[in-house]
Amino acid sequence: MAAQTIAMATKPTTVHLVGAGPGDPDLLTLKAHRVLREADEILHDDLVPPAILALANPVAVVANVGKRCGAKTMTQEQINARMIQSAREGRTVVRLKGGDPGIFGRMAEEIDALEAAGVPFEVIPGITAGMAAAASLGISLTNRRKSSYAIFISAHPAQDGGKDVRPDWKKLAHSDGVLVIYMPGRNHARLRDELVAAGLDPQMPAALISRVSTAEQTIQYATLMNLGRVSPAAAPSILLIGRSLDRASRRQRTSELSVLIDEATAIFSHR
């Protein structure tokens, strides 16, 4: 009992709120890599891939505290309490989040809890999926000739008094910007209808990227008008819409035409 009292009375250790990046271990920051190697306890989101977790301290306690399809393994309050308790016990705690910890996660709630408990923390940023998706397409999200800004937004409905609140696309959908839509869902036709109704050009190029930066990455190109024909992608996925995608779309069409030509040449050469 005395040892426990002494441990609880010492100054808490710093909790590290860490971005795991989009999935490729090579895209981790050096600092993120270091704290993973030093951690006593790692509390990670569900979509952090095994290749990232493999970099952890071999003797660290690694726990999945995320959720999949709305099913939680641990409530946010339980996550907060566990971080606080472990820090007070002098353990080096890493709260590992996919992408960047401050983009469409619950880092603000965790910071509130840590501050209220008097537990120090630091934020270690990561490459968010929107930036990694643009890189995989070989495009710049901002382009003074086409897209002067980019908007990062979740298509997942917000909660207001128990009711789902959809984004106000009329305030966001403009021809001189790029929409970077996290959690686009599976009902692409509904999203298309909402964006077209908001005034976005139906011919605006779009791309749906799944599991960006990993070996399982897939890319589907479309125009906004044809978005409803795009197959739902494996999570995590992200949708980019805007004029900056023109070049990537042209490259894709050129590549597809080249494949068709090669296939036709092969068929005729064997006749």
Side-chain angles (χ1 to χ4, degrees):
M1 179 64 70
Q4 182 179 4
T5 303
I6 293 172
M8 296 296 286
T10 58
K11 182 179 179 181
T13 54
T14 298
V15 172
H16 307 279
L17 305 169
V18 180
D24 182 352
D26 287 344
L27 296 180
L28 273 177
T29 65
L30 291 174
K31 190 169 187 179
H33 192 178
R34 176 174 60 79
V35 298
L36 284 173
R37 297 294 299 173
E38 296 172 351
D40 297 313
E41 187 169 355
I42 299 171
L43 309 177
H44 68 89
D45 284 348
D46 188 68
L47 291 174
V48 174
I52 299 289
L53 298 176
L55 301 175
N57 182 350
V59 298
V61 174
V62 180
N64 183 344
V65 299
K67 63 180 181 179
R68 175 67 67 93
C69 300
K72 298 178 181 178
T73 57
M74 187 179 292
T75 67
Q76 188 59 56
E77 291 73 20
Q78 289 172 327
I79 295 171
N80 297 345
R82 181 161 174 175
M83 289 191 297
I84 292 166
Q85 179 69 19
S86 294
R88 286 174 173 170
E89 292 174 356
R91 298 170 64 79
T92 299
V93 181
V94 168
R95 177 68 176 98
L96 188 62
K97 298 171 176 284
D100 181 88
I103 300 292
F104 301 117
R106 296 190 176 184
M107 186 180 76
E109 298 171 45
E110 294 173 354
I111 288 175
D112 288 346
L114 293 169
E115 287 185 327
V119 174
F121 66 90
E122 73 164 339
V123 179
I124 301 177
I127 296 175
T128 187
M131 304 303 297
S136 72
L137 297 176
I139 66 167
S140 172
L141 285 178
T142 57
N143 182 331
R144 63 180 181 174
R145 298 165 297 181
K146 295 181 179 180
S147 303
S148 58
Y149 61 91
I151 294 176
F152 288 59
I153 186 169
S154 169
H156 192 276
Q159 292 288 316
D160 184 8
K163 297 181 180 179
D164 287 348
V165 179
R166 301 286 296 175
D168 187 347
W169 294 116
K170 288 186 178 180
K171 292 183 178 179
L172 303 172
H174 302 284
S175 61
D176 57 342
V178 175
L179 289 174
V180 183
I181 304 176
Y182 290 69
M183 294 172 276
R186 303 177 68 84
N187 193 344
H188 300 146
R190 175 181 178 178
L191 183 57
R192 173 203 62 202
D193 293 344
E194 291 176 339
L195 290 170
V196 171
L200 207 58
D201 182 358
Q203 297 302 319
M204 191 76 74
L208 180 68
I209 305 95
S210 170
R211 297 180 177 176
V212 63
S213 82
T214 71
E216 294 79 31
Q217 174 178 291
T218 62
I219 301 174
Q220 298 181 73
Y221 292 93
T223 60
L224 178 58
M225 179 178 64
N226 294 325
L227 192 59
R229 302 176 186 174
V230 173
S231 302
S237 63
I238 192 163
L239 176 66
L240 274 59
I241 302 173
R243 294 295 182 204
S244 285
L245 278 72
D246 279 337
R247 179 174 295 175
S249 297
R250 288 197 302 270
R251 284 200 299 264
Q252 174 65 12
R253 289 194 296 270
T254 300
S255 176
E256 291 175 349
L257 179 60
S258 177
V259 170
L260 290 174
I261 292 174
D262 289 343
E263 290 176 348
T265 301
I267 291 172
F268 282 106
S269 66
H270 285 85
R271 289 186 174 180

